Amino acid sequence: MVVAVATPAVSQFLLRPFRLSPSIPSYTPFRLPHYSSLSTIFHFKSHHHNGSSSSMFLISNNHCSSPSSLNVRQQFKPVAALGSDLPHPIQPEEETAKAIKQWDWWTAKFAAAANIPFLILQLPQILLNARNLTAGNYSALSAVNWLGSLTGLLANLSLLSYFAKKKEREAMIIQCLGVVTTYIVITQLKMAGAMPFPYFFLTSLVVGTGLISNFLNYCGMLPSIIWGIWEDFITVGGLSVLPQVMWSTFVPYIPNSMLPGVVSFALAMVAVVMARTGKLSEDVVKSYKAISGWTATLLFMWMPIPQLWTNYLNPDNIKGLSALSMLLAMTGNGLMIPRALFTRDFMWFLGSSWASFLYGWGNLICMYLCGSVTREFFLATTVGLFIWIGLAFWKDSEAYGHSSPMRSLKELVIGS
């Protein structure tokens, strides 16, 4: 509950080390609709074509009586963490509806603004590859491992599907940006001969299918059976890649093996077959539908770990990190946090907070301790990050009329 961040050699995939392609999650599930009047609030359930349902608020001019409008203080029941792809916003009191609408508008703008730092992160690598291709220096592109880029691309497609299902435009744009820019890098690698053509062809087919499927699903034009097949595909892909990447991070300190990926692939296929044949209970099926989003989120959350592990083993490598890249990663994810908090999407909040603190700020801590950045730069970024998080919780609690920001955190984690 995403956009690639260029990282130095982060982990080993399958039989050899590779560089994870920059990919950072950005979530924005469920948003309240914008209307010109806030006189009456109705609560209803919308049933999507894929079988899922989500609660929404309709703010209307009509002063008709409605059973749900008689108790505007009623809140939703807590939602389990694995079910956080189904939003659980808190029903606002009528007098706070205007404040909530304003906070909704601002958080959406913050999420949209995150495209700027994420785009800046990708452009230098694309331009450098283009210069090397023009100069005929094809060997330079071999430094960017296509397996790492492919991993990041899969994560972006998974999160794109997550937000397309939730009709979150800003988050979809960010994930589309990640898919397109990463695909450009992969295309450059193919032009340099650094990526085999069969893999490039299959990647192109998956990217094209994914973008078209998500666009049609967002517009409500895709049959549910086709969307279900696509979701099964990204679920199996995510569950297969994540354990292998986690295992490969610590090679050669642990044996180099493909076993984690093979075992997780088999388990994922069993889960898909059981879900499609009706062998799973309704609660398990709800959790199953959230797996693709969670695997993509966990994949992005794992990205800082290999880098920090590399920093620990080889402190001299820290000098090769870019402080600007770390700052942009921290900023892009930080801009997502208010929206995640407002929409009460724990998955998105966890992923964005983790990437902002552990990837961006965590690497800045390592760089500061090793003398790669000045004290003034580190203190300024630290103070700015914590003030931003504090303001997000304060404004959210103020919009919902809570007496304490801790109430917003409680609703985010357990629902009410």
Side-chain angles (χ1 to χ4, degrees):
M1 18 191 124
V2 269
V3 178
V5 172
T7 63
V10 282
S11 69
Q12 185 178 8
F13 187 78
L14 300 179
L15 298 177
R16 56 182 177 145
F18 68 93
R19 297 169 66 92
L20 281 178
S21 173
S23 296
I24 285 203
S26 56
Y27 300 28
T28 321
F30 193 85
R31 49 186 302 196
L32 298 176
H34 301 285
Y35 296 93
S36 58
S37 176
L38 294 162
S39 52
T40 305
I41 303 175
F42 296 97
H43 170 240
F44 65 98
K45 280 194 172 182
S46 63
H47 294 270
H48 303 297
H49 61 276
N50 58 9
S52 62
S53 63
S54 60
S55 299
M56 299 182 62
F57 296 104
L58 174 61
I59 303 174
S60 170
N61 287 324
N62 300 328
H63 292 273
C64 309
S65 59
S66 171
S68 59
S69 65
L70 299 179
N71 185 6
V72 296
R73 296 179 180 271
Q74 182 180 3
Q75 298 178 338
F76 291 99
K77 296 180 180 179
V79 175
L82 279 178
S84 67
D85 67 321
L86 301 176
H88 51 283
I90 304 303
Q91 184 168 343
E93 297 182 4
E94 188 169 357
E95 59 268 21
T96 64
K98 184 176 182 180
I100 291 178
K101 180 184 177 184
Q102 292 176 345
W103 184 228
D104 173 30
W105 186 87
W106 277 109
T107 56
K109 296 304 179 185
F110 293 148
N115 282 285
I116 298 175
F118 288 145
L119 180 60
I120 296 175
L121 274 169
Q122 287 286 64
L123 283 179
Q125 183 67 58
I126 293 175
L127 294 176
L128 178 61
N129 291 346
R131 287 196 296 267
N132 287 325
L133 285 173
T134 303
N137 186 18
Y138 295 161
S139 61
L141 275 75
S142 61
V144 182
N145 190 280
W146 62 269
L147 284 174
S149 299
L150 192 60
T151 302
L153 185 63
L154 178 61
N156 283 128
L157 281 173
S158 297
L159 288 176
L160 175 60
S161 301
Y162 176 87
F163 294 119
K165 183 170 62 175
K166 302 167 90 56
K167 314 298 182 183
E168 281 294 338
R169 185 177 62 253
E170 289 82 5
M172 286 182 63
I173 293 174
I174 292 177
Q175 298 309 319
C176 280
L177 179 65
V179 171
V180 172
T181 53
T182 304
Y183 181 72
I184 291 175
V185 172
I186 288 178
T187 303
Q188 292 174 326
L189 296 179
K190 167 60 183 65
M191 294 173 63
M195 181 179 185
F197 176 76
Y199 292 101
F200 175 75
F201 176 79
L202 291 176
T203 300
S204 302
L205 184 62
V206 170
V207 169
T209 302
L211 291 177
I212 294 174
S213 298
N214 281 283
F215 175 77
L216 293 177
N217 184 65
Y218 178 78
C219 297
M221 301 168 57
L222 189 70
S224 59
I225 186 173
I226 298 180
W227 179 252
I229 294 174
W230 170 253
E231 285 192 310
D232 289 340
F233 172 78
I234 60 176
T235 297
V236 172
L239 286 176
S240 302
V241 169
L242 177 61
Q244 186 65 54
V245 169
M246 297 173 70
W247 179 273
S248 300
T249 297
F250 303 107
V251 173
Y253 295 93
I254 58 177
N256 189 6
S257 173
M258 296 176 59
L259 185 61
V262 173
V263 172
S264 55
F265 173 79
L267 293 176
M269 290 300 298
V270 171
V272 168
V273 172
M274 292 182 66
R276 291 301 169 188
T277 55
K279 302 295 184 180
L280 302 178
S281 64
E282 183 178 350
D283 292 337
V284 175
V285 169
K286 290 180 180 178
S287 298
Y288 166 79
K289 291 180 179 179
I291 288 179
S292 61
W294 273 106
T295 51
T297 300
L298 293 174
L299 184 62
F300 285 124
M301 289 176 65
W302 188 255
M303 289 182 63
I305 305 300
Q307 182 60 60
L308 294 174
W309 177 248
T310 301
N311 294 346
Y312 172 75
L313 296 178
N314 304 294
D316 292 339
N317 290 345
I318 296 177
K319 298 179 180 179
L321 296 180
S322 169
L324 178 59
S325 295
M326 299 301 111
L327 179 61
L328 289 172
M330 186 181 74
T331 302
N333 283 281
L335 288 170
M336 298 288 99
I337 292 176
R339 186 66 182 173
L341 180 61
F342 170 76
T343 57
R344 300 299 191 262
D345 189 310
F346 181 69
M347 186 193 299
W348 177 43
F349 181 87
L350 181 62
S352 294
S353 299
W354 181 279
S356 186
F357 277 93
L358 197 61
Y359 182 84
W361 188 58
N363 278 302
L364 287 175
I365 292 177
C366 295
M367 298 175 72
Y368 169 69
L369 294 177
C370 293
S372 297
V373 296
T374 64
R375 177 185 299 180
E376 292 75 14
F377 178 84
F378 175 71
L379 290 179
T381 54
T382 300
V383 172
L385 176 62
F386 280 87
I387 289 179
W388 176 254
I389 301 302
L391 286 174
F393 273 93
W394 173 63
K395 290 297 297 182
D396 188 87
S397 61
E398 183 181 58
Y400 279 102
H402 300 331
S403 58
S404 170
M406 296 304 297
R407 174 70 179 277
S408 295
L409 180 62
K410 178 184 176 183
E411 293 173 352
L412 172 70
V413 176
I414 66 174
S416 62

